[in-house]
Amino acid sequence: MCGSEGPRRGWGRCAPSPMLLLSLLASAAPLGLLGEETRQLFEFDGANTSEGAKPPGEPYPPYSLAKFSWNNITDSLEPATLSATFRGRPTDDPTGAFANGSLAFRVQAFSGSGRPDQPPRLLHSADTCQLEVALVGASPRGNRSLFGLEVATLGQGPDCPLMQEQHSIDDEYAPAVFQVNQLLWGSLPSGFVQWRPVAFSQRQRGRESALPCQASPLHPSLAYLPQSPIVRAFFESHNNFCAFNLTFGASTGPGYWDAHYLSWSTLLGVGTPPLDTLSPLVLGIMAVALGAPGLMLLAGGVFLLLGHRQCSEYQRIN
Ligand SMILES: *[C@@H]1O[C@H](CO)[C@@H](O)[C@H](O)[C@H]1NC(C)=O
Ligand SMILES: *[C@@H]1O[C@H](CO)[C@@H](O)[C@H](O)[C@H]1NC(C)=O
Ligand SMILES: *[C@@H]1O[C@H](CO)[C@@H](O)[C@H](O)[C@H]1NC(C)=O
Ligand SMILES: *[C@@H]1O[C@H](CO)[C@@H](O)[C@H](O)[C@H]1NC(C)=O
Ligand SMILES: *[C@@H]1O[C@H](CO)[C@@H](O)[C@H](O)[C@H]1NC(C)=O
C-alpha cells in the first residue's frame, strides 16, 4: 500500500497528493486483501498464559482474509474526510462468529499536517495516510481471546525494512505510551510505517481501554506474492515480501472480551516519518521542574549575596 515504495520510483522527491494516495489505496487495497492465502486474523486463548508468552496462548484456527467477502468500497467512500472503509466477514462462517461482526480496514488520507482527535494521535502530514483496523462484534471462541494480525510488506532488494523503536518521555497524545514503532524502507527513508504499540478495547479510547500491541521480528517470505496484476504492476515484481505478526492485548487488563471491540491504527507514508517534538505541556512541565530549582538556587544566591553584603556593611560600620 502507500509508503512501501522503493527509491527507484522517486516518490520521496515527488510526493503524491492525498487524493492520489487515497485512490491508489482504494484501488490496490481490496486486491491486496483478496486472493492471498496467507494474510490472517489470529485468535489465541489467553486464559492460561503467562505475561509475554509467544504465541500469547493456544491458537484457534486462524481466519484467512482471502476467504472474507468485502463490502463495495464505493458505498463507504467519504470524500469529505478523504476516507474509505473495507468491511469484511468470512464467506463461510459455520459457527456464526461473524453474524453480528466484521473486520474493517479504514484508510484515510490527509490534506495537511495535524493529529487525529482520538488516541494514539500520531502526527500526520499530507504525504501520509492512516490505516485503522477494527474488529467489531465478532463472537470470540474463548472467554479470554486475544487477537493478532499477520502483516505482509514489501522488502527492498534482498532485505526487509528496518524495524525501529523510538522512545520518548512524552505521553501527552497517547497516555502511558512512550514508544513509537517504525518500519523504514532504506536509510534515507523512501517510505515508512509508523504506529504506537497500543490498541483499544472500547470506542472511547483512553487509558482504561488501552491494550499493549506486540510486533514480532520481520521475516522474508516468498509466500506473499500478490496474485493481482494491478498490485504486481504497481509494486515491481522482483521485490521480495516480508511478514510479521502483531498481537493485541494480554490475558490481564482490558481486552476484546470487554465490549467485543478492538481497534489499532497505523500511519503509512512516503519520505521521512513525521517527527514528534515534545508537546507544549511537557515542555512546560520540564521548564517548571528544571526551572524551579534553578530559580530557588538563584534566589538563594541573591539572598546569600545580600546577607553577605549586609554582614560586611555591618562589619565596616563597626
Ligand atoms: C493452566 O495451566 C496450568 C499449568 O500449565 C494447569 O495446571 C491448569 O490446569 C491450567 N488451567 C486451565 C484452566 O487450563
Ligand atoms: C458498487 O456500488 C456502485 C454504486 O453504489 C456500483 O455502481 C458498482 O457497480 C458496485 N460495484 C460492485 C463490484 O458491486
Ligand atoms: C446477533 O444479534 C442478534 C440480535 O441482536 C442476536 O439475537 C443474536 O444472538 C446475535 N448473534 C450472535 C452470534 O451474537
Ligand atoms: C467462560 O466462562 C464461563 C463462566 O465463567 C464458563 O462457564 C465457560 O466454561 C467459559 N468458557 C470457556 C470457553 O472457557
Ligand atoms: C504469525 O503467527 C502464527 C501463529 O502463531 C504463525 O503460524 C506464523 O508463522 C507467524 N508469522 C510470522 C511472520 O511470524
Side-chain angles (χ1 to χ4, degrees):
M1 293 197 249
C2 70
S4 7
E5 277 290 274
R8 279 156 263 138
R9 303 245 161 178
W11 267 17
R13 275 171 278 129
C14 170
S17 73
M19 208 54 215
L20 175 63
L21 273 182
L22 183 65
S23 36
L24 281 175
L25 267 174
S27 58
L31 297 159
L33 292 169
L34 296 170
E36 285 182 49
E37 295 300 323
T38 36
R39 286 181 202 172
Q40 306 183 93
L41 172 69
F42 297 114
E43 185 176 350
F44 304 95
D45 180 6
N48 202 13
T49 47
S50 52
E51 202 69 34
K54 283 177 190 142
E58 271 306 302
Y60 294 102
Y63 295 105
S64 167
L65 300 194
K67 296 182 184 134
F68 272 46
S69 63
W70 301 91
N71 66 329
N72 183 344
I73 188 66
T74 319
D75 304 331
S76 71
L77 271 173
E78 288 180 43
T81 55
L82 296 175
S83 69
T85 307
F86 304 93
R87 187 166 282 110
R89 44 178 59 90
T91 335
D92 183 29
D93 186 19
T95 59
F98 278 80
N100 295 332
S102 66
L103 178 68
F105 293 84
R106 179 172 184 265
V107 291
Q108 181 175 18
F110 304 102
S111 54
S113 59
R115 208 182 277 285
D117 296 332
Q118 286 256 48
R121 304 198 62 200
L122 275 173
L123 186 65
H124 59 69
S125 70
D127 293 340
T128 62
C129 49
Q130 180 177 271
L131 171 70
E132 195 178 307
V133 184
L135 179 67
V136 183
S139 306
R141 284 172 279 186
N143 285 342
R144 292 257 145 182
S145 277
L146 303 179
F147 287 90
L149 270 181
E150 192 168 40
V151 181
T153 70
L154 283 163
Q156 193 181 33
D159 300 322
C160 283
L162 178 71
M163 175 118 43
Q164 215 181 46
E165 287 179 4
Q166 284 197 330
H167 297 268
S168 155
I169 56 164
D170 189 354
D171 74 336
E172 184 184 357
Y173 301 113
V177 183
F178 298 93
Q179 191 180 321
V180 172
N181 290 22
Q182 305 192 129
L183 288 186
L184 301 176
W185 279 262
S187 51
L188 219 165
S190 57
F192 66 90
V193 176
Q194 195 183 55
W195 70 92
R196 287 191 204 272
V198 64
F200 295 93
S201 67
Q202 308 264 357
R203 272 173 217 279
Q204 193 58 47
R205 299 180 193 176
R207 198 187 284 265
E208 312 72 42
S209 60
L211 319 174
C213 158
Q214 271 161 357
S216 74
L218 273 114
H219 294 296
S221 171
L222 293 173
Y224 296 88
L225 219 59
Q227 301 306 306
S228 144
I230 292 185
V231 176
R232 279 191 178 214
F234 189 60
F235 302 114
E236 290 158 50
S237 56
H238 57 263
N239 268 311
N240 66 321
F241 283 77
C242 298
F244 66 104
N245 279 346
L246 286 168
T247 45
F248 308 107
S251 53
T252 53
Y256 184 74
W257 50 84
D258 290 333
H260 288 187
Y261 180 86
L262 176 74
S263 81
W264 172 79
S265 50
T266 182
L267 200 67
L268 304 98
V270 292
T272 309
L275 187 66
D276 236 337
T277 50
L278 292 176
S279 67
L281 179 68
V282 165
L283 282 178
I285 292 171
M286 276 170 63
V288 171
L290 297 177
L295 281 176
M296 275 160 73
L297 274 177
L298 194 67
V302 169
F303 189 75
L304 276 178
L305 260 176
L306 286 175
H308 183 71
R309 220 173 117 193
Q310 269 169 9
C311 185
S312 55
E313 272 166 11
Y314 179 74
Q315 279 170 351
R316 210 169 0 145
I317 288 166
N318 260 339

